[in-house]
Amino acid sequence: MIALSHVTKHFGEKAVLQDFSLQLGENGVTAIVGKNGSGKTTLLRILAGLEKKYAGEVSTGGRIAYVFQDLRLVPTLTALENVALVLDNTRRAEAIRYLRIVGLENEADSLPGKLSGGMQQRLALARAFAYGGDLLLLDEPFSALDEEWKQNMLDAVRDYAQTRPVVLVTHDASDVAYLNCKSVRLD
Amino acid sequence: MRNSTVNRLLRWILFPLLWIGVWEIAALIVSREVLVPTPARVAVRLWELVQTGRFWSIVGSSILRVTLGFLAGVLLGTLTGVLTAKLPLSDGLLSPLLTIIRATPVASFIILALVWMGAEATPVFISFLMVFPIMQSHVHTGVRAVSPALLEMAHVYRIPPMRRVRALYVPAVLPNFSAGCRTCLGLAWKAGVAAEVISIPMRSIGRELHNSKAYLETVDVFAWTVTVILLSLLIERLLSMLLLRLTKGGEAR
């Protein structure tokens, strides 16, 4: 069971999370909403094991896929190589399949710097889908997508969430409405 | 004629000819071969030398010494650079040693090396000593330049260490590594020959320079110096081609 219990996190004097608790189900999307600086990204970083100093209990375990807000694609690797990077050697040939899911199969040999912002976001999603962890963390993953691709990606996330939990940080209420998912507000 | 052709012609033919002209005029003004021989006289002497087997044996031995020192410096400097970048404690530990190596006059090291390891090994050691701290510094900077954000991504996705090295570290370190190698080669060559002049090992350019100076054969000093310059340019060119292939290979991977 993935859960945070009474978690408090400070940056200097400022508490970004105060006695925060959350329990994720076996599957489904949990949306985290709230204004800037309310601790949404910090919450994802704690779940990903990237923040070590906090009070409270966190249990995750297993493999975690994470679409970072700043994407973190490797600039010297092609789109295909960026996806293959997170795959086991036995599965590396499958990378193209995930590029197809996000509509980037014709950009397999392109470097991330040559792709548009929306394409880069789709590539980061492809990498996360390919990794197929036990938990998927999404930090504003649709912000640069046009309407058509946003809907496609929301559908892909909904499909993905049928078998494992997904935590989605978003500013867009329509994402929550479309996914018809549980949402948690951080203030 | 295109601009680039004109530039190349100026850079590689006309400007060098201009400086050879300045040398010729200086030799004519001084008019004493023991001080400044004419370019033609040096060229003739160099032509005489290159036709002997002894010349190539001497050149080969000097190249071997400098290359050994250079490669040892590149290897150890690279390993140390990685170590100091990843382990702050090792950086603190090695920092005084590296500062001493950088600050000590090369002549002091040559004399000490001569006492410690004899004439044959001294030029190798001195070339190594010139290369080692520069490569350490370049590789250290390259490793530290790897994006912490990408390292976090690699941590979350549990990317195996060797794949992490290939995908994240090699592209970040390669430009610094190449620049370090280019800087070091010239230094290794100059310091190596200087060490040969002082330690005078058998079959070495340094020994020939030393003997020519001792017998006031200034033409020979010039001829061997021209040899050093030409070899340095040639080896630098070869290294540049090798590094270019390596860099392109890194990008294409």
Side-chain angles (χ1 to χ4, degrees), chain A residues 45 62 66 72 81 85 87, chain B residues 149 152 157-158 163 253:
Chain A
R45 287 178 60 79
Y66 190 165
R72 305 193 181 183
E81 288 168 337
L85 185 67
L87 292 172
Chain B
E152 276 192 350
Y157 282 104
R158 299 185 184 178
R163 208 184 283 178
R253 179 196 22 76

Side-chain angles (χ1 to χ4, degrees), chain B residues 48-80:
Chain B
E48 286 167 7
L49 285 172
V50 297
Q51 291 177 81
T52 63
R54 191 171 152 274
F55 173 85
W56 295 107
S57 152
I58 288 168
V59 164
S61 301
S62 285
I63 289 177
L64 184 67
R65 286 190 199 94
V66 172
T67 306
L68 278 178
F70 173 77
L71 290 178
V74 168
L75 185 69
L76 210 67
T78 302
L79 292 175
T80 314

Side-chain angles (χ1 to χ4, degrees), chain A residues 15-18 20 33-40 184-187:
Chain A
V16 285
L17 288 174
Q18 187 80 52
F20 179 81
V33 295
K35 55 182 192 258
N36 288 335
S38 61
K40 302 186 296 296
V184 176
R185 172 167 289 281
L186 289 179
D187 291 312

